[in-house]
């Protein structure tokens, strides 16, 4: 949905130079078309197999993005009470919400029960006991799935790999049958599913498929023991291409492979994609402030920084950085850095890039997932606005923060 027409970069039919001029920079821009296409790619590839696509809210929790997906019929995977609040504010259906995460608080469990979510994805026995007690107090039954740790290696960045036994996530798959058995004695819990999620930015689907086989075998064993398992949740994790030509499994072919393995399972299949729905649908617009040379190192200093997009600093992640208007000057090699007072504040290092001048706009690509949501006010920098493009129109769906916003709730 991002492409050049002549020398100008467009999102759908909107010239990004116009967005940058009107909304200022830095600014996040999302293509509604791209988000919906990706969601529908999941939804349609499942075909006749009973399924539910639960968008992982943490990837991009903007109300406008959640609203688009809610309207398209999506369910949601949440990891906090705040995310449930956002889903409801955006018009999402709590009955299609699954709640993941290792550290749900008593208050969050109460809130989720009050709103009637679909299922809790539990990561410890103590959590099951808490949910049972809270459900008993409300006089309701709570559906749960144990998030099992299938002990497979997602082969991704160590910070976002979650499916090995050394990680904090889930319950070891070998111990899961005993946990379901003990949970059986809780009066207010119903074992409705089995879930897993082995990591993020996975570029080879093999480990996910390995996990699918393991959780399917577990679900069958549990059903044979009389547990009313109805759904199998495969988590998210499908990667996106951050570099041109980077190979990814692709949503359609991934789902078709999974669908082939689960056709006979007699279960509703849930997936929790985040990055693969919004990642490529967003860019971060920034303006060149200065250029300078230290020794023989060239720097392009821009008005977006690590507080706006932390992925390069945190994971050494690569994002393409392209000009909003192309010129015909010979390319340069430079570090693209922001104004934050840390050497770790960079968007790219030793990057072959366009020969841009102060005042020019750049677009940091594939920034729709884990971009704005991980932004902060570090260095007392107001957070960037978020802009949604729909065909030939764009609107600010989250305003740029003001200096007043920076001190809200504080006192001297
Ligand atoms: C983060 C997360 C997801 C989404 O992962 P993506 O890589 O963005 O698809 C899904 N499920 C759970 C439990 C998660 O923690």
């Amino acid at each position: 949905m991002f492409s050049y027409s002549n020398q100008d970069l467009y999102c759908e039919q909107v010239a990004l130079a116009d967005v940058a001029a009107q909304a200022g920079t830095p600014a996040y821009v999302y293509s509604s078309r791209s988000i919906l296409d990706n969601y529908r790619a999941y939804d349609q590839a499942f075909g006749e197999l009973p399924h539910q696509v639960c968008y992982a809210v943490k990837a991009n929790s903007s109300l406008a993005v959640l609203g688009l997906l809610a309207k398209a019929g999506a369910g949601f995977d949440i990891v906090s009470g705040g995310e449930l609040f956002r889903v409801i504010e955006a018009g999402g259906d709590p009955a299609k919400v699954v709640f993941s995460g290792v550290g749900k608080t008593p208050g969050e469990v109460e809130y989720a029960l009050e709103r009637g979510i679909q299922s809790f994805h539990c990561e410890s026995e103590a959590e099951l006991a808490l949910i049972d007690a809270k459900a008993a107090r409300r006089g309701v039954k709570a559906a749960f799935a144990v998030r099992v740790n299938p002990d497979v290696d997602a082969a991704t960045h160590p910070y976002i790999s979650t499916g090995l036994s050394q990680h904090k996530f889930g319950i070891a798959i070998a111990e899961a049958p005993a946990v379901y058995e003990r949970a059986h004695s809780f009066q207010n819990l119903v074992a409705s599913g089995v879930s897993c999620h082995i990591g993020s930015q996975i570029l080879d689907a093999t480990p996910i498929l390995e996990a699918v086989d393991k959780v399917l075998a577990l679900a069958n064993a549990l059903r044979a023991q009389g547990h009313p398992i109805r759904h199998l949740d495969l988590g998210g994790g499908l990667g996106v291409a951050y570099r041109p030509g980077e190979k990814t499994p692709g949503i359609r072919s991934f789902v078709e492979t999974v669908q082939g393995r689960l056709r006979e399972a007699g279960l509703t299949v849930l997936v929790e994609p985040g990055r693969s729905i919004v990642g490529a649908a967003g860019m971060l617009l920034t303006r060149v402030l200065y250029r300078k040379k230290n020794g023989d190192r060239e720097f392009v200093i821009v008005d977006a920084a690590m507080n706006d997009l932390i992925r390069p600093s945190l994971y050494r992640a690569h994002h393409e950085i392209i000009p909003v208007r192309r010129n015909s000057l010979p390319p340069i090699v430079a570090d693209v850095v922001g104004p934050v007072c840390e050497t770790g504040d960079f968007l790219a290092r030793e990057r072959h890039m366009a020969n841009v001048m102060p005042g020019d706009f750049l677009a940091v690509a594939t920034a729709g997932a884990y971009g704005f949501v991980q932004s902060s006010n570090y260095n007392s920098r107001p957070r960037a606005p978020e802009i949604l493009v729909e065909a030939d129109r764009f609107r600010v769906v989250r305003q740029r923060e003001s200096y007043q916003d920076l001190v809200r709730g504080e006192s001297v």
Side-chain angles (χ1 to χ4, degrees):
M1 301 312 145
F2 294 92
S3 59
Y4 285 98
S5 172
N6 297 321
Q7 304 312 319
D8 290 308
L9 183 60
Y10 279 74
C11 174
E12 302 188 27
Q13 286 102 259
V14 169
L16 290 179
D18 293 343
V19 177
Q22 282 186 45
T25 51
Y28 277 93
V29 183
Y30 309 125
S31 159
S32 58
R33 171 82 188 280
S34 169
I35 293 169
L36 289 173
D37 281 358
N38 292 332
Y39 167 73
R40 290 186 186 122
Y42 273 102
D43 193 35
Q44 289 165 4
F46 275 109
E48 299 290 296
L49 187 70
H51 65 277
Q52 185 178 317
V53 181
C54 291
Y55 167 67
V57 174
K58 76 173 188 282
N60 183 326
S61 57
S62 170
L63 289 186
V65 170
L66 300 181
L68 276 180
L69 291 166
K71 225 176 182 179
F76 297 93
D77 169 54
I78 60 164
V79 292
S80 72
E83 287 190 351
L84 177 56
F85 180 78
R86 282 184 168 277
V87 166
I88 294 168
E89 284 288 299
D93 181 359
K96 289 189 197 167
V97 167
V98 297
F99 194 168
S100 305
V102 288
K104 303 175 191 75
T105 66
E108 288 176 321
V109 169
E110 276 169 20
Y111 178 46
L113 286 169
E114 176 195 315
R115 293 307 169 130
I117 66 161
Q118 177 176 329
S119 171
F120 289 89
H121 289 176
C122 298
E123 308 212 13
S124 64
E125 288 201 68
E127 186 193 340
L128 284 171
L130 171 74
I131 296 167
D132 180 63
K134 295 287 182 194
R137 192 166 317 158
R138 293 193 71 82
V140 296
K141 296 226 185 270
F144 77 92
V146 170
R147 173 173 176 180
V148 298
N149 187 322
D151 198 23
V152 298
D153 188 354
T156 182
H157 189 285
Y159 290 4
I160 52 173
S161 178
T162 57
L164 284 171
S165 53
Q166 74 208 45
H167 298 141
K168 70 177 176 181
F169 296 99
I171 288 176
I173 193 158
E175 287 163 32
V179 173
Y180 278 93
E181 212 40 58
R182 287 193 288 273
H184 202 57
S185 64
F186 288 123
Q187 299 297 303
N188 294 82
L189 295 183
V190 180
S192 68
V194 179
S195 85
C196 72
H197 169 72
I198 63 166
S200 197
Q201 186 52 14
I202 297 169
L203 291 174
D204 173 2
T206 315
I208 307 185
L209 298 173
E210 210 180 303
V212 169
D213 291 342
K214 288 188 174 187
V215 290
L216 177 60
L218 172 63
N220 286 334
L222 291 170
R223 280 199 292 184
Q225 287 160 19
H227 296 285
I229 304 295
R230 285 178 292 112
H231 79 251
L232 202 60
D233 189 321
L234 309 180
L238 210 60
V240 297
Y242 284 102
R243 295 167 192 271
E246 192 166 23
K247 275 254 180 300
T248 68
I251 295 170
R252 242 168 265 277
S253 81
F254 168 71
V255 173
E256 279 161 13
T257 310
V258 165
Q259 193 246 23
R261 293 188 183 214
L262 298 177
R263 203 171 293 148
E264 309 296 327
L267 292 161
T268 297
V269 179
L270 269 62
V271 284
E272 304 170 346
R275 189 191 310 268
S276 52
I277 289 188
V278 292
M283 286 197 180
L284 172 62
L285 301 181
T286 185
R287 185 162 51 96
V288 178
L289 297 173
Y290 306 104
R291 277 182 63 171
K292 75 170 185 182
K293 262 190 174 156
N294 280 355
D296 48 12
R297 197 114 173 173
E298 174 99 40
F299 293 91
V300 173
I301 302 163
V302 298
D303 66 359
M306 66 187 291
N307 75 294
D308 300 299
L309 180 67
I310 204 172
R311 299 191 70 262
S313 307
L314 185 59
Y315 313 115
R316 290 282 174 133
H318 176 99
H319 286 266
E320 286 292 300
I321 300 179
I322 58 178
V324 166
R325 173 162 293 157
R326 289 196 286 212
N327 63 33
S328 50
L329 300 171
I332 56 169
V333 176
D335 287 13
V336 182
V337 301
V340 163
C341 299
E342 293 217 12
T343 300
D345 176 32
F346 57 87
L347 295 175
R349 282 182 158 164
E350 295 184 271
R351 181 64 62 87
H352 290 259
M353 62 180 293
N355 195 340
V356 283
M357 296 298 155
D360 288 348
F361 295 121
L362 288 168
V364 184
T366 330
Y370 306 104
F372 181 87
V373 285
Q374 294 201 77
S375 66
S376 76
N377 292 123
Y378 188 38
N379 278 212
S380 286
R381 289 166 52 84
R383 282 181 300 172
E386 292 178 287
I387 288 140
L388 188 71
V389 172
E390 294 173 291
D392 57 356
R393 295 180 311 139
F394 70 91
R395 59 196 165 98
V396 176
V397 292
R398 181 194 178 104
Q399 290 178 2
R400 183 184 307 284
E401 287 178 337
S402 65
Y403 286 163
Q404 266 313 312
D405 292 330
L406 289 180
V407 297
R408 179 152 306 136
E410 286 188 51
S411 50
V412 174

